[in-house]
Amino acid sequence: MTPKVSLIIDIACTWSYIAFERVASVISDQGGDLDTYPLGFLPHQLDPSATTTGEPLLRVLRERFGPGVDQENERVRAIAAMDGITLDYASGIHSNTFDAHRAIYDASQAGRGASMVRALFRAHFSEGKNIADPIFLEATAQGLGVELTRDESTRHVRESLDFVREKKISAVPVLLWESGATLTGMHSKGDLADLLH
């Protein structure tokens, strides 16, 4: 399936999670199936230097943004809740997302890309899972009937990260159409419905 539109995201990005769920809701409201809708996923990494072993998410956020981050987290948590998303920053694990993007690619090749994206977002933001853990990724893939590759997915993610950088995209989420048109940032379900019909 050739994507009609691609969603550029990072699994470590709360706004990417909210945008994904809004897009998913619009597709569902229009009678579409999320895994068969021509929606692709392109990777972005907010922190490519993050480790695969992971560290407490709240500690990382406080070190980078100061104590005011707690108030911002509460604001974002309230926004996410309106979209049916539970954010649990206290149990979150900050880790490298490269291998999560590899799993998304493999799942997309098997027609389960959106299901993998949703599973990874939930694991990261709601279930306190380390999404860089190869055992977790393998179990998640098996649960979706997806076989993880090594060389092919690694090559694809690296090429896609280069493509996103060449597009001068430094913040996510972004919707990218085949025509080259882009929609950056957060948008209402109503606006998305007009664009994804």
Side-chain angles (χ1 to χ4, degrees), residues 1 35 41 100-117 120 140-141 144-149 153:
M1 175 186 69
D35 275 326
F41 300 98
H101 287 300
R102 289 179 51 240
I104 292 168
Y105 169 76
D106 286 330
S108 295
Q109 296 303 105
R112 302 304 307 276
S115 291
M116 177 64 79
V117 169
L120 292 174
T140 303
L144 294 173
V146 172
E147 182 178 351
L148 297 182
T149 66
S153 61

Side-chain angles (χ1 to χ4, degrees), residues 7 13 23 36 47 67 123 132 139 145 181:
L7 186 57
C13 172
V23 167
T36 59
D47 185 7

Side-chain angles (χ1 to χ4, degrees), residues 18 30 67 70 81 100 123 137:
I18 297 170
Q30 294 176 349
D70 291 338
L137 288 171

Side-chain angles (χ1 to χ4, degrees), residues 9-21:
I9 55 171
D10 190 12
I11 298 300
C13 172
T14 312
W15 299 114
S16 290
Y17 189 7
I18 297 170
F20 167 77
E21 288 298 344

Side-chain angles (χ1 to χ4, degrees), residues 14-137:
T14 312
W15 299 114
S16 290
Y17 189 7
I18 297 170
F20 167 77
E21 288 298 344
R22 288 183 183 176
V23 167
S25 180
V26 165
I27 292 170
S28 177
D29 289 347
Q30 294 176 349
D33 177 81
L34 193 55
D35 275 326
T36 59
Y37 185 89
L39 174 68
F41 300 98
L42 288 171
H44 178 73
Q45 284 194 285
L46 294 176
D47 185 7
S49 67
T51 68
T52 56
T53 53
E55 46 190 325
L57 177 59
L58 266 184
R59 187 182 74 197
V60 172
L61 293 175
R62 287 168 179 163
E63 287 173 353
R64 293 187 179 179
F65 303 109
V69 77
D70 291 338
Q71 184 176 352
E72 175 63 9
N73 286 346
E74 287 306 312
R75 184 183 76 85
V76 177
R77 194 196 315 267
I79 293 170
M82 291 188 289
D83 287 280
I85 296 169
T86 299
L87 299 179
D88 183 1
Y89 291 102
S91 69
I93 298 173
H94 177 81
S95 60
N96 195 287
T97 58
F98 187 89
D99 287 341
H101 287 300
R102 289 179 51 240
I104 292 168
Y105 169 76
D106 286 330
S108 295
Q109 296 303 105
R112 302 304 307 276
S115 291
M116 177 64 79
V117 169
R118 176 171 278 156
L120 292 174
F121 273 133
R122 285 180 177 166
H124 178 64
F125 283 108
S126 306
E127 300 169 0
K129 303 289 188 184
N130 178 0
I131 58 170
D133 178 6
I135 295 174
F136 161 75
L137 288 171

